[in-house]
Structures are given as structure tokens and as C-alpha cells.
Amino acid sequence: MEFTASQIASFIDGKIIGDENALITGVSPIESGEAGHLSFVAQDRFAHHLETSQCSVLIVTETLINKDQYNPTIIAVKDAYLSFQILMNLYQEMQGRKEGVEDGSSIHDTAVIGDRVYIGAFTYVSEKAKIGEGSQIFPQVYIGKGVKIGKNCKIDSGARIYDYCIIGDNCVIHSNTVIGGDGFGFQPTPEGFQKIPQLGNVIIEDNVEIGSNCSIDRATIGSTTIGKGTKIDNLIQIAHNVKIGANNVIAAQAGIAGSTTIGDWNQIGGQVGIVGHIKIGNQVKIQAQSGVNSSVNDKETIYGSPAISYNDYLRSYVHFRNLPELAKRINNLENNSKDHTNE
Amino acid sequence: MEFTASQIASFIDGKIIGDENALITGVSPIESGEAGHLSFVAQDRFAHHLETSQCSVLIVTETLINKDQYNPTIIAVKDAYLSFQILMNLYQEMQGRKEGVEDGSSIHDTAVIGDRVYIGAFTYVSEKAKIGEGSQIFPQVYIGKGVKIGKNCKIDSGARIYDYCIIGDNCVIHSNTVIGGDGFGFQPTPEGFQKIPQLGNVIIEDNVEIGSNCSIDRATIGSTTIGKGTKIDNLIQIAHNVKIGANNVIAAQAGIAGSTTIGDWNQIGGQVGIVGHIKIGNQVKIQAQSGVNSSVNDKETIYGSPAISYNDYLRSYVHFRNLPELAKRINNLENNSKDHTNE
Amino acid sequence: MEFTASQIASFIDGKIIGDENALITGVSPIESGEAGHLSFVAQDRFAHHLETSQCSVLIVTETLINKDQYNPTIIAVKDAYLSFQILMNLYQEMQGRKEGVEDGSSIHDTAVIGDRVYIGAFTYVSEKAKIGEGSQIFPQVYIGKGVKIGKNCKIDSGARIYDYCIIGDNCVIHSNTVIGGDGFGFQPTPEGFQKIPQLGNVIIEDNVEIGSNCSIDRATIGSTTIGKGTKIDNLIQIAHNVKIGANNVIAAQAGIAGSTTIGDWNQIGGQVGIVGHIKIGNQVKIQAQSGVNSSVNDKETIYGSPAISYNDYLRSYVHFRNLPELAKRINNLENNSKDHTNE
């Protein structure tokens, strides 16, 4: 797609300084601008790029402009960051949605497919599955028996959604994520471990996004649930019967063990591990790589393995780094004390 | 499926208190029972649910019953937990197995497919692969050259089993797990790293279950092996030439580096890392997130990174949390000692 | 495939001691040699296997040979390890490359497919994608719009390469790895998190190898890049806008957060976490499970969470293990000091 500077300015109600016919065919980060590309400058510390950028067009917060002419064409706006976001969203929408059922997909007779749905080639839709209006199911997806997918969802290539799982509206599930695999439940016997059937499902509420290569296991009985608006990064493990509330953000490679309950608006860092059967409140921040082994109250910030208060951990860690020195000082004290004793 | 209370009672030899025609269409956890659902009460601390549960039918350990009538229909048994397990297994079996080769699969002429095998659409079976009697290969699976899969296995959608790997009987491999990818072996040269061919395979013995999104690499030469009855959770890394014994349980996101040997009946926690070329004995417990960098004897319990004895780690961690206080006490001692010196 | 000892000797310019017609049908590690198999002995500490190995043929470094006859046929060479590598590479090459487009693949009319390319069944190639000469795309791969793949690449079953990503020559991408999924970018609002469109791509330079089940996210704008010759193990997370240089080795389950820059020739251990927006120099070694939260200079070796100098961490950890003893000694000093005070 191609746009002129004047087309772009009209989308975001900007004022052009320079060539209004300057052509844009792509977008660059400001640090590595390219001819024919668009970028933006919203902060003083990036304002020097106004002079040096190779970009053909820059969207610039108006207060940063102090000359009548620059090498790139400038589009002056109130808030360049915001305007750029609006533009990116517009661009995304222009890419369009896919629609229609491609040859080579396999859809069971009893499946119910809504209006304007896209189903890609090599996607398998099992009996009695329902796919809501406007949802896009990319190629090579597996949808099990009785699965329900809401409206306007996007399920990327290679995602697997097992029997009876339920997904709300406006959800995005990225490639190769597995929803509703068996929970890890085995009973020890003297001869070995016996599988405990995992008969529950996974329920994902509206506006949830789940990254690639995640594993969200089905409940033993009942449901593993992920609340409205929660965003989950890549390579994350959510075990059986976990209950996650609304508007959480969970970073890559975190893992949450079975039956743990998590409230709303929490921030869980990358590679965090949370044991089973505990309760995390609301607005909790868990630093990356922490190991959480007991329940956490609202608004706490924690760190470490096992995790303790963030500030306490950092304070202790300063002394940890200094332990050889502390040990030496104890030695000295002991030697002095012996001297005293020998006196 | 629908069952009446009397049908359920007959499966588990229970005594009905209440309406023997009560209809069941699903199962609930006891904390969130629903009308038309079945649940169970096996422990005193859950006995209050007998009075309040919305479930239509409850299986209850007989010693917990002290009234002639409850709101839900009660099925009294010796051990409600055990009876419930039996029922869940029965239910699982009733779901039935799939059988037959679906249209749209691709099976090489030289592949050998046993009786009553299921092969789903878009599954690819390469030359000379063998699939044993009664095994179910779900849609979109990749099976490489000369792979052997035993009897009554279940290979879920999107699993990849590379050339010459061998899987025993009664194994379950969940979605998107990769068995037999190349081991991570490169030789450094001044110009860059040169790939060392990975010519071995993976051997998985009987009754092994492997979760979703795992990577089990093939050996450089010889075999990476996973012993009888071992259960592996999701997102786990097993590197080339690792040897794992029988009846181990390995929790999600653990990783085991190349050529390490692991005995029998070990419990490896979530997000544990184990370095290469060491030996873990039998009945070892490794706490979640531990980093194991040296061999471990039978029956040890370890924790930390690097991992040490579990009790020692916890004892040291108590003092770690208290380090600012310890440092202050050392300061005080030094000040006192100076006072003495100044005397 | 079958080889005789004399055929093998001719490949590596070796001298036969024993039966030059001895037949080889496979390869064993020296510790578990089998009849009909080939192995090698390159070090003194393995020389006793010359006497006891069940292998039919052994390649042996000539200085380790001190008898005229052994049970296995011996092929004497200058450096048995090197000769064995040469042989393994030869063997690998003999396995051949696949070529041709299999029935059941879906290739868009506008895609450009080079000479001698292999495209497996159930692979989906989107509009305007380009696949270079001699590349092998295995079954069930997804290739998005405008993707460019260079020459002689191998893309394994179930890999997903999203729109506009670029892959150089001689790259290997293993099964179920996702290249170019959306970066994890959301703007908090009082009602919930709003998705920031991820409009960049991923650029992978020549000679890169990426293991199975990895997630390499596309840039928000611009490119996430992986430099020439870098080798990435399994289950690794590379976030949006990360820049990785040449010839790095990154071990399994490591994660690198958004916009971090990594130089050349670094070694990153398993399960390492690196925060966003920092800079790792060149020839840095990061020990397994470390958590890196600030920039790192060239040639440093670091360990711990948060990571500090490797030697400092180990020194502090020795005292950490000894903390209960240190605390006791502080108690004693305090008691003694009180005694003094009471004097």
C-alpha cells in the first residue's frame, strides 16, 4: 500500500510542513529510518532525528518544531505518539479480514459456522463445534468436539482447541497454542502412576489474547478459566483448574500450577513460577523469575525464589553480594575478641 | 450423555438416599456445584456441602452421613473419592475410541497400519512407519520415516515424531510436542558454529505420557530414552542423549541438558533446570525452579540455584531474608569493639 | 544402508586391522556398542573398549593402538573424532534432500517457488511468498503473505512463518517454532488493555538454526533480527524488536524481553531471562537460570538473579550456604560482648 503525506495528514488532522505529495510505502523505527518510510517524534530526546532522519515523512509533536523547513516532510500534530497509534490501527484495519471457507479444510456436518467466518485450508472442525460471526480460523487449526468460539476471534495457524472448551468474543489465540490438553493428574500406585481422567474444560472470556506455544490445560472436573481482558504472552503454562481473573498481564514463560486462583489487574513477570492451590489477590506485581509459594495479598510487589517483598529481596541481595566481606568482618571480630580474652 | 442416580449407584455399588431417578448430565467440583450435576464428598471438611450443594446427586463417604434426607440425592459408598475415580474412568471409556482412516490424511504405501487404528485428516505418515493396533493418531500429526508406534497409543493433533523414533505401547503424546528434533550440537570454528549431525533417535517405553509443547531431542548417536511409566508435563525440554528411567514425574517447563542420566521414581518440580552430563539417582525430589549442577544421590531432596539440600536451603534463606539485620548487628559489634579499643 | 569396513576406511583414509568385509548397518555410542554397528575411540580413557566393545568396526586414533589384532575390526586414523565427524556428515548427505511439491499442499498462484524446492503435503504457502532454490519445506508448515525464504533452508513440520518475515540462506527452523507472531504490546486504559498493532517483521540472516517450539515475535515497527550464524535451542522466547548479532549460542528455554540488543559470539545458558531495553556486548557468558536486568560489557561471565559476576556469585553462594553458622557466630560475639559489658 502507498500513501501520500497529505492522505496521512488527513487521517490524523495534521499540518504539513514540506512536500504534501511525499510517498510512503512503509514504516520505520525512528533510530533506523529509511527513504520512503514514515516515523514519528514525540519526545524531546528524539528531536535531533528531525534533522538527520532518512524517513520521507515524520509525524511530530508540534511543540518540538522550531524551524520552517526540514529535510523530511513533517506532519505536525498535538501528540505524535497518539496520532501514530491511530494511524497504525487504521493501517491494521485496512489489511482487512479474511472470509470464506478454503478448499481442503475439514468441517463436520454438525458444526455451526457463523456469518463472515474464515476457515483456512487443513483446519479441522469437529462435530457440534460452533464458530461465531466474523471469526477467522487460520490454516491447520484443530477444533475439537463441541467447542464454542465467539464472535470476531482470530485463531492462528496450528492452534489446538480441545473438546468442549469455550472461547468468548474478540479473543486472539496465537500459533501452536494448545487449549484444553489434559491436566497433569496421576495417582501413585506401587506399580506406577495411574492417569486421573481430566473431564473438565477451559473457559476463556471476552477480549483475551494468548500468545504462541502456550499450554492451557483443561480442568479435572469443572473449568480452568481465564477472565475478561487478560493478556498472556508466549510459552506459558496454565495448569488444570487454575482460575485467572480480569485484565491480568502475564509475561512469557511464566507457569501457574494447578488450582491456583488469581484476581484482577495483576502483573506477572517472565519466567515466574506460581505453586498450586494458592490465591493471588488483585494489583499484585510479581517480578520476573520469582517463585511464588504462598498466597499474596492485594497490591503487593514481590521478588525472589521463594518470593518475598520486592524491597526486602533487593535489600537482602545487596548484602548477599557483600557476604564475603561480612564473613571477613565476623572473622576480625572473633580474632579481636580472642585477643581480648587472651588479655 | 445422561445417567440416573440409580444407574450411577449400580456402577459403584452405592446405596441411594433420595430420588433414584435424579438425572445427571455433567460433573462439578464440589465448591461450585450445579443443578443436574454430580459431585462427591470424601472428607469431613467438605461435609457442609451436603446441606448446601446445588448438585442433583452427591457421592458421599458413608461415615459422613448423619441424616435420613438431604436436598441432593446421596449415593453412600465406602470411599467416595475412590468411587468417583472409578466413575470418571468409566465415563472416559464410554467416550469411546476413534477408528478408521479419515479422508485427507497422507499415508505412504510402505507404512504398516495396525487393526482398529485411527488416523485423522491432514496427518502425514512417512515411508516404512508402523502404527500398532488400536492406536489413535489425531489430525495434523507428522510421523517420520521408519517411526514405530506401539499399541493403544494416543497421539494428539499437531505432535511431530521424527524419523526412526520408537514409541512403546499405551503411550500418550499431547498436542504440538516434538519428538526427535535435532539435538543442539555445534562445533565452534573461527568462522562460526558447524552443525554436528544428529543421527540417533528417541526411544519412549510403554505407558509414558508426555504433555503438550514439549521438545524431546534425538541423540547425536544412540538414543535419548524415556523409561516405562514416566509422566512428563507441558513445555519441557529433554536434550540429546538424556536417559530417563521408569516412573518419574516431571513438572511443567523443566529442562534437562544433554547426556544426563536420571534413575527411577524421581519427582522433578516445575521450571527446574538440570545441567548436562550428570547423574540423578532414584527417589530424588527436586523443588521447583532449582538449578541442579552436580550429581544427586538416591532419596535426596534439593532446592536452590545451584541446588543444595532442601532443608539447608530453607535454613539459609531465612537468614538471607534477615541479612540487613545481621549486617546491622555486625556494625554494632564493630562499634562496640572500637569503643573497647578506645578505652 | 550398509557399508563394509573397507568402504568406510576409504572415506576417511584409514588403515584396516582385521576383517575388511565387516558389515556396518548402524552407529552406536562407544559405551553401548552393538554387533553390526560402528563406533570410535579417540581418547585414552575409552581405549579399554578396544578389548570389550560389541561393535563390529571401530575407528581408532592410531596412537591408542598397541596390538596386532582386536575383536572388532579397527580402522586406524590420525584423529578418530575428526574422522567420525567427517563420516557422519557424509552419511547425512547420503540421506539426500527431498524435492518436488507433494499432493495436498496449498500454494498461492502468486507465490514464487525456486528450483529443486520440496514442499510437503498440508503445507500452506500464502500470496507473494518466495521460496529459494533447494529449500525443503516439510509437511504442515504455514508460510504467510510476502514471506521470503532463502536457498537451501530446511523448515520442519508445523513451523509457522508469519507475514513479511525474511529468512536467509542455509537456515534450519525446527518443528512448531513460530516466527513473526505478534509482539506482546498493550496500552493500559481504565477499561482494560488495548492492543498496539504489531506491524514490523522478523529478519533471520544466513546460517541461523532455530530449535523446536520457539516463539520469535515480530517487531512493533521495524524488525526483530537474528544475526548470521546464531544458533538457538528449543522453547526459547525472543520478544519484539530484539536485535541479536552473529554467532551467538542460546540454550533451551531462555527468554529475551523486548528491544534488547545482543552482540556477537555470546553464550547464553538454559532458562536465562534477559529484561527488555538493555544491551549485551560480545563474548559474554551468561550462566544457566540467570536473570539479567542491566547491560553487560564484553567478555563478562555472569550468574544469579539478578545476575552479577560469576565468581562473585559463587563466592557469595558459599557464604549463603553457611549463613546459619555465620548467624550463630554473630550471636556468640554478641553474648561475649555482653559478658564484657557486664564485667
Side-chain angles (χ1 to χ4, degrees), chain C residues 225-271:
Chain C
T225 56
I226 298 181
K228 221 169 129 172
T230 284
K231 309 299 181 186
I232 292 178
D233 202 348
N234 304 324
L235 290 157
I236 284 168
Q237 154 76 358
I238 313 275
H240 47 183
N241 291 88
V242 166
K243 308 274 181 204
I244 298 179
N247 295 316
N248 295 281
V249 174
I250 305 179
Q253 298 176 316
I256 303 171
S259 297
T260 279
T261 298
I262 292 177
D264 303 334
W265 290 103
N266 298 290
Q267 294 175 31
I268 299 177
Q271 300 182 335

Side-chain angles (χ1 to χ4, degrees), chain A residues 124 195 215 305-306 316 329, chain B residues 102 209 212 317 320 331 334:
Chain A
Y124 187 96
K195 187 176 177 71
S215 295
S305 180
S316 282
R329 285 162 62 190
Chain B
E102 289 186 350
E209 181 156 346
S212 57
Y317 201 75
F320 169 82
N331 283 344
E334 287 172 339

